[in-house]
Amino acid sequence: MSLFDDDRPQKKTAHEIGSDLSLLSVDELSARIDLLRAEIARLESEKTKKGASRSAAESLFR
């Protein structure tokens, strides 16, 4: 760990899986849902890219 780790600004977590949702408003819940949907889309896109890359590599060795 670096001596200067404490000086860096901490990134605020937008949503933590399993966190208490009871104090959030409907608008805050909607914002988190939108955030999570965008993250799912990003993950799906990366999965597709990696799958295509893997398929291409496997086809070279057939």
Side-chain angles (χ1 to χ4, degrees), residues 1-10:
M1 186 182 304
S2 172
L3 176 65
F4 302 105
D5 284 347
D6 294 335
D7 295 340
R8 285 189 265 169
Q10 297 294 319

Side-chain angles (χ1 to χ4, degrees), residues 21-59:
L21 305 175
S22 64
L23 298 177
L24 298 176
S25 69
V26 172
D27 289 340
E28 289 170 319
L29 289 169
S30 294
R32 288 190 185 200
I33 289 168
D34 292 342
L35 176 74
L36 290 169
R37 284 186 178 143
E39 182 64 6
I40 289 168
R42 188 177 77 90
L43 289 165
E44 292 283 354
S45 174
E46 188 64 23
K47 179 182 165 188
T48 301
K49 287 181 200 174
K50 288 185 184 261
S53 185
R54 181 178 182 172
S55 294
E58 287 176 348
S59 70

